């Protein structure tokens, strides 16, 4: 190392772009939906709160209360920027919790909304977000029934953070959870993947890909109802948000002790997403979605479920992308277009931070 450079470089302050697994402090990767997120849950939160309901680690908990089966979920939304093609923080805060409830087969009914506002944020921005939430709640047929507001000093927030919690009713005979995946199950995705993550990235970084890419944010409860009308015996539903399709499938494989085999050419990746990912060196399987679901269904019901999705406005691009297998339990592999096979592992952190 040149002497003058050695005088200015302090190795103590060097940082690695990929967070290390033994980090003594919280890093951005802990919120990415990948391996670091899983470790945070398993090593900190589950031991602190440990109970049978929590250890299932599904998108929502299914509870027995007063003779009814309720799904209950909560989520916080810290997306940057607050507004983006196809949606806003307000849409995400409603649709995200509605979808977490729907992934248990529930019909969402009521939400709460808690705002953390940074001193100095324009009230017109808060109003736009609140109105977007109201419109999204009406579209999803849920009621925002209660909430809270806090304000933090300037420089101690990022404009607006929103936390929503929700409850819904789970129909009798419906048992949807990641542990129910079985070898032979068909793996179906409800539409093209990667749109939300690329939409956020394009406006955040000022990138252009020839066409505007809009987020796919949408409430999925209606699509789930259409699928359950075909057969209540849906084994698993998951909306692949943080960490994308890859993270969701890995979580299901590990929870069920099965393997997942995908066919690369069957996975619907829009040209704009493929081009953006190719340009930036990203894998579409790890890019976040906000209006898609992946379903594990018995093989005998696969064609009917696929037809039901195609008949719904949010499932027109649904595709059968693979199957659940007994081989390589806990692992996801994909057969490539060139005839090879590659492992699709759980991401360490996340390719695109602050996407929801």
């Amino acid at each position: 190392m040149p002497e003058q450079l050695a005088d200015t470089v302090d190795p103590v302050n060097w940082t690695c772009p990929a967070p290390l697994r033994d980090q003594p402090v919280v890093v951005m990767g802990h919120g990415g939906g990948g391996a670091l997120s899983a470790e945070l849950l398993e090593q900190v939160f589950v031991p602190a709160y440990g109970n049978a309901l929590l250890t299932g680690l599904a998108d929502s908990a299914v509870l027995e209360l007063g003779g009814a089966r309720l799904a209950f979920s909560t989520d916080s939304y810290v997306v940057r920027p607050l507004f983006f093609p196809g949606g806003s923080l307000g849409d995400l805060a409603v649709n995200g919790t509605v979808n977490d409830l729907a992934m248990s087969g529930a019909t969402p009914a009521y939400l709460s909304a808690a705002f953390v506002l940074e001193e100095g944020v324009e009230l017109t921005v808060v109003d736009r977000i609140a109105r977007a939430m109201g419109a999204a709640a009406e579209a999803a047929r849920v009621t925002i029934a209660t909430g809270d507001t806090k304000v933090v000093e300037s420089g101690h927030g990022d404009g607006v953070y929103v936390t929503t919690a929700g409850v819904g009713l789970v129909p009798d005979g419906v048992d949807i959870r990641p542990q129910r995946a079985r070898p032979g199950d068909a793996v179906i995705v409800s539409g093209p993947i990667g749109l939300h993550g690329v939409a956020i990235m394009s406006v955040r970084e000022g990138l252009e890909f020839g066409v505007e890419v809009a987020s796919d944010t949408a409430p999925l409860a209606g699509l789930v109802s259409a699928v359950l009308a075909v057969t209540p015996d849906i084994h698993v539903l998951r909306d692949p948000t943080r960490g994308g399709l890859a993270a969701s499938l890995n979580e299901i494989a590990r929870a069920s002790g099965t393997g997942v085999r995908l066919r690369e050419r069957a996975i619907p990746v829009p040209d704009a997403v493929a081009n953006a990912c190719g340009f930036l060196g990203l894998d579409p399987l790890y890019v976040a979605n906000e209006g898609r679901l992946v379903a594990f269904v018995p093989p005998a019901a696969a064609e009917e479920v696929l037809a039901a999705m195609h008949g719904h406005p949010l499932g027109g691009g649904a595709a059968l992308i693979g199957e659940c297998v007994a081989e390589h339990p806990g692992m996801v592999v994909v057969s490539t277009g060139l005839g090879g096979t590659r492992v699709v592992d759980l991401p360490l952190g996340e390719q695109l931070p602050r996407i929801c």
Side-chain angles (χ1 to χ4, degrees), residues 221-272:
L223 179 60
V224 171
S225 294
V227 169
L228 291 176
V230 171
T231 173
D233 188 28
I234 302 299
H235 290 169
V236 188
L237 292 174
R238 183 61 65 95
D239 58 331
T241 54
R242 294 177 305 168
L245 187 61
S248 292
L249 293 177
N250 271 278
E251 290 166 1
I252 294 167
R254 295 180 185 191
S256 61
T258 62
V260 176
R261 183 169 57 230
L262 304 177
R263 293 181 291 277
E264 187 174 58
R265 289 183 174 176
I267 301 170
V269 180
D271 289 342

Side-chain angles (χ1 to χ4, degrees), residues 8 67-68 102 109 116 146 213 283 313:
T8 60
V116 176
T146 187
V213 179
D283 187 335

Side-chain angles (χ1 to χ4, degrees), residues 138-197:
E138 183 177 0
R141 299 182 180 180
V142 296
T143 299
I144 299 176
T146 187
D148 183 50
T149 303
K150 294 293 189 294
V151 177
V152 298
E153 296 88 347
S154 178
H156 290 259
D158 196 14
V160 183
Y161 300 146
V162 177
T163 295
T164 50
V167 294
L169 284 172
V170 181
D172 291 337
V174 171
D175 181 17
I176 299 174
R177 47 194 171 89
Q179 293 79 9
R180 291 199 67 215
R182 297 288 183 271
D185 280 355
V187 179
I188 297 172
V189 69
S190 65
I193 65 170
L195 291 166
H196 177 72

Side-chain angles (χ1 to χ4, degrees), residues 28-125:
M28 289 300 294
H30 282 118
L36 286 173
S37 293
E39 289 180 2
L40 185 65
L41 290 173
E42 293 166 1
Q43 297 176 13
V44 177
F45 296 117
V46 170
Y49 312 144
N51 58 72
L53 290 170
L54 182 63
T55 53
L57 296 179
D59 286 335
S60 58
V62 177
L63 317 170
E64 299 279 348
L65 188 63
R69 295 178 70 215
L70 298 178
F72 177 46
S73 184
T74 188
D75 209 340
S76 295
Y77 300 88
V78 296
V79 65
R80 180 172 55 86
L82 299 175
F83 305 95
F84 45 84
S88 69
L89 173 65
D91 301 273
L92 290 185
V94 171
N95 293 338
T97 295
V98 163
N99 292 346
D100 283 346
L101 296 171
M103 295 307 105
S104 294
T107 300
Y110 297 100
L111 302 183
S112 68
F115 281 73
V116 176
L117 307 176
E118 183 183 12
E119 181 184 25
V121 68
E122 296 180 4
L123 286 176
T124 54
V125 170

